Amino acid sequence: MALCLPLSFSNPKPVASLSSSFVHGGTKPSSFSINEKLKTGNRLQNVSVSISCSSIKLVHDRALDKHVVMKYRVRFVQKLKTLLLSKSKHYIPVHILCKCRSYLGLPKPRSILSMIHRYPSIFELFNMSWPPKPLNATKLHPKLCVRLTPAAAAVAAEELAFQSSISNMLAAKLQKLLMLSSRRKLLLSKLVHFAPHLGLPPNFRSRLCNDHPEKFRTVDTPYGRALELVSWDVNLAKCLPPRASRDPGFIVDRPLKFKQLRLRKGLNLKRRHQDFLLRFEEMPEVCPYRNPAEAFSKESLEAEKRSCAVVREILAMTIEKRTLIDHLTHFRKDFGFPNKLRGMIIRHPELFYVSLKGQRHSVFLVEGFGEKGDLLEKEEILSIQDKWMDLARESKRMRRERRKSRFRKDIGSLNEADQNNSDSDDDYDDNIGIDNFENVYDDGFENIFEELDFEAEDDDDDQGDKIFSQSNYGEFWTAEPFPIQHGLDEPQMQPW
């Protein structure tokens, strides 16, 4: 993208035309080239300054990256929880769950059962009678299924109840998104991926979209079902105020002699990049609610000013003040974003921060976080979602205790074998005992790592179900059935 910014001066000095091009590349420092026309004789002529930036160095912010790392560790829990809550009886057979590997983010070598065993405080396995393929047969085959534990089910119910209580606030977020779009219409298939970042419940398409007909409605389009704006709310069509200036900490209140660019701590930019951002900040604000994307040319600074304002509005509506860049690119045509949206976001580090952690890159709203990376305004739903992190930590503690108990059991069997050997006959032949030691004596350490390794177990066939159904660790799982999952017409469940 090439940006041209004319510079005018009151005194008779050369008029410069600033042109910059920022394209994301590696992590090499930016390179610039300057072309200018010098004066002829004693009179200065017009000067043209061309700044070409082929790459921008991304400075990592550990305080912000930790948010992505924490959520990335429990991504399997969130996705499996969404699948379980989408079912009417809140459980899924494991052989059907194996077909959802792409959604769960598990490649083929990874075992789904091993991932379920990693979170014993959140998920539990049980056997239930499953009808075979021939419907006329009378024999029922046991199938291994997964569901939420009572503790996890209580957190899920609390989260859904809270989302239902703030349905008006969530409906206002959807209405603002529709007001920002160019055609006042958004596909539901795109909103599904972005809904968790807004705090919407999994059933928002059937409940929330139909409970507020005065604000929006669902319509059919050639590309699928879409959400269309019904009424325009003037109170919601207000832009975010400009970023608050950072207090320099001076004792004497006086204006600064030089213009200062407010950047994150530890972020250093090239002088020409800073000049561009300072002039970009001095431009008048463009309200995305009043000025549609079609009112500006795609390569103009006004269009980029509007695109930055739209990204700010969207990130401010998210519960964590961040989202994936891929989610924004899905709405490129709907919100009038440029083709190189990622490059535009990286070009403005004073507004946004791009984290490279995880499989996909995330974008943060810088003004929503403090210097230590903490959210300045934390929504109440985040406190409920933090309970899932507490359950994940509890699962880690349970796994550690289970490994310690197995180790103690193996040590006890070793001591018992030594005691039996010491009580044996004293007149036995030492050579015979040494020869038979490897054949009759089992110290219990040969298979300890095989017991701890769940990766080698097969989870895609009936043999894996049989192995886990006959495991002697069944006493670990909760024997009480899930109260909200069982209906009157549901087959009898046998706890695993």
Side-chain angles (χ1 to χ4, degrees):
M1 174 183 288
L3 303 175
C4 297
L5 182 64
L7 307 177
S8 59
F9 303 88
S10 57
N11 52 359
K13 289 185 179 181
V15 179
S17 175
L18 178 62
S19 175
S20 64
S21 175
F22 298 93
V23 182
H24 175 67
T27 58
K28 298 179 181 180
S30 304
S31 59
F32 303 92
S33 60
I34 301 178
N35 300 322
E36 52 183 40
K37 298 179 181 179
L38 302 179
K39 61 182 180 179
T40 56
N42 294 329
R43 186 176 180 181
L44 293 174
Q45 302 294 333
N46 293 339
V47 180
S48 176
V49 181
S50 177
I51 300 178
S52 176
C53 180
S54 59
S55 62
I56 299 177
K57 183 178 180 180
L58 294 177
V59 179
H60 298 281
D61 193 334
R62 295 183 178 180
L64 297 180
D65 288 339
K66 68 178 182 180
H67 296 279
V68 182
V69 174
M70 291 177 60
K71 291 295 181 179
Y72 187 75
R73 290 177 179 176
V74 294
R75 67 190 184 280
F76 176 80
V77 174
Q78 296 293 336
K79 292 183 177 181
L80 183 54
K81 179 201 69 173
T82 303
L83 282 179
L84 294 175
L85 295 179
S86 64
K87 303 301 178 181
S88 58
K89 297 181 180 180
H90 304 284
Y91 71 88
I92 300 178
V94 175
H95 73 277
I96 295 179
L97 192 63
C98 294
K99 301 178 182 179
C100 306
R101 286 181 173 273
S102 59
Y103 173 75
L104 296 174
L106 294 178
K108 188 63 176 177
R110 297 294 299 273
S111 173
I112 293 182
L113 284 177
S114 66
M115 292 299 297
I116 295 176
H117 278 288
R118 285 181 61 86
Y119 304 99
S121 63
I122 302 178
F123 307 111
E124 63 179 3
L125 297 171
F126 66 98
N127 280 326
M128 69 168 297
S129 300
W130 192 265
K133 294 182 179 180
L135 298 179
N136 55 358
T138 58
K139 185 179 180 181
L140 298 178
H141 297 276
K143 286 293 181 180
L144 193 63
C145 302
V146 58
R147 63 186 175 189
L148 293 174
T149 59
V155 176
E158 182 183 359
E159 185 177 359
L160 291 176
F162 179 77
Q163 290 173 341
S164 178
S165 62
I166 60 171
S167 60
N168 293 331
M169 184 186 302
L170 299 179
K173 290 184 179 182
L174 287 177
Q175 190 176 10
K176 289 189 68 173
L177 280 179
L178 295 174
M179 293 168 61
L180 287 173
S181 61
S182 302
R183 300 180 180 179
R184 310 294 184 258
K185 189 184 303 182
L186 295 174
L187 291 176
L188 290 176
S189 59
K190 296 181 180 180
L191 288 174
V192 167
H193 302 282
F194 189 59
H197 295 265
L198 295 175
L200 301 180
N203 59 349
F204 80 98
R205 287 177 292 180
S206 59
R207 294 293 183 86
L208 188 62
C209 295
N210 297 325
D211 292 345
H212 301 273
E214 72 282 357
K215 297 181 179 180
F216 38 74
R217 62 185 178 183
T218 55
V219 295
D220 293 328
T221 63
Y223 302 98
R225 299 283 292 177
L227 195 64
E228 186 179 23
L229 182 67
V230 173
S231 61
W232 183 278
D233 193 346
V234 182
N235 298 325
L236 296 178
K238 296 180 180 179
C239 299
L240 290 176
R243 293 190 310 126
S245 58
R246 183 179 301 175
D247 187 10
F250 296 152
I251 300 177
V252 180
D253 187 10
R254 60 182 179 182
L256 297 176
K257 186 175 181 180
F258 301 99
K259 297 178 182 179
Q260 185 179 7
L261 186 65
R262 300 182 296 273
L263 298 175
R264 301 190 314 274
K265 185 177 180 180
L267 182 61
N268 298 321
L269 301 178
K270 293 292 184 178
R271 179 63 180 271
R272 296 175 182 85
H273 193 185
Q274 293 186 14
D275 294 342
F276 164 74
L277 294 180
L278 285 173
R279 295 182 178 93
F280 184 85
E281 190 176 14
E282 292 175 356
M283 293 180 59
E285 298 293 333
V286 178
C287 181
Y289 298 100
R290 302 175 184 176
N291 302 282
E294 295 78 9
F296 310 103
S297 60
K298 295 183 179 180
E299 301 297 333
S300 62
L301 281 177
E302 289 79 6
E304 183 167 342
K305 192 78 173 181
R306 181 190 180 276
S307 298
C308 291
V310 173
V311 176
R312 283 187 64 202
E313 292 286 337
I314 295 177
L315 293 179
M317 284 187 283
T318 58
I319 58 178
E320 294 181 322
K321 302 301 180 288
R322 68 176 182 89
T323 186
L324 297 178
I325 295 182
D326 293 342
H327 290 165
L328 296 179
T329 55
H330 291 164
F331 298 100
R332 182 186 291 114
K333 294 183 179 179
D334 299 307
F335 295 128
F337 290 146
N339 293 333
K340 297 180 180 179
L341 176 61
R342 189 179 185 276
M344 185 203 74
I345 293 175
I346 295 177
R347 187 160 56 248
H348 292 277
E350 81 284 4
L351 299 175
F352 316 111
Y353 169 69
V354 177
S355 176
L356 306 182
K357 297 294 183 179
Q359 295 180 349
R360 293 185 291 179
H361 298 173
S362 304
V363 54
F364 288 76
L365 183 63
V366 174
E367 58 192 275
F369 296 86
E371 294 183 358
K372 297 183 179 180
D374 300 330
L375 276 171
L376 299 180
E377 297 180 2
K378 188 174 182 180
E379 298 187 11
E380 187 176 353
I381 192 174
L382 287 179
S383 301
I384 301 177
Q385 292 183 357
D386 289 342
K387 295 182 180 181
W388 294 105
M389 298 294 299
D390 297 337
L391 289 177
R393 297 187 187 98
E394 179 66 17
S395 298
K396 185 176 182 180
R397 186 193 64 81
M398 295 172 65
R399 294 198 312 268
R400 186 184 300 112
E401 293 295 332
R402 186 168 54 184
R403 287 195 296 265
K404 289 181 180 179
S405 63
R406 290 177 180 175
F407 182 76
R408 295 192 194 100
K409 183 179 179 181
D410 294 332
I411 292 295
S413 62
L414 179 61
N415 295 334
E416 183 180 356
D418 292 339
Q419 184 67 24
N420 295 335
N421 291 335
S422 62
D423 296 340
S424 61
D425 226 352
D426 294 338
D427 57 351
Y428 70 95
D429 190 357
D430 292 341
N431 296 329
I432 297 178
I434 294 175
D435 295 337
N436 297 335
F437 182 83
E438 297 180 357
N439 297 329
V440 301
Y441 181 72
D442 184 10
D443 58 357
F445 281 93
E446 296 178 357
N447 299 326
I448 183 173
F449 294 102
E450 296 179 2
E451 293 178 1
L452 296 179
D453 188 12
F454 295 108
E455 299 290 342
E457 299 171 359
D458 188 8
D459 59 342
D460 295 335
D461 53 7
D462 295 337
Q463 183 180 0
D465 299 346
K466 181 179 179 181
I467 293 175
F468 279 90
S469 63
Q470 298 177 357
S471 177
N472 56 352
Y473 299 110
E475 58 182 344
F476 170 75
W477 305 104
T478 304
E480 292 293 334
F482 194 12
I484 63 174
Q485 298 167 352
H486 307 303
L488 296 178
D489 56 346
E490 182 183 357
Q492 184 65 23
M493 296 184 184
Q494 306 255 344
W496 183 64

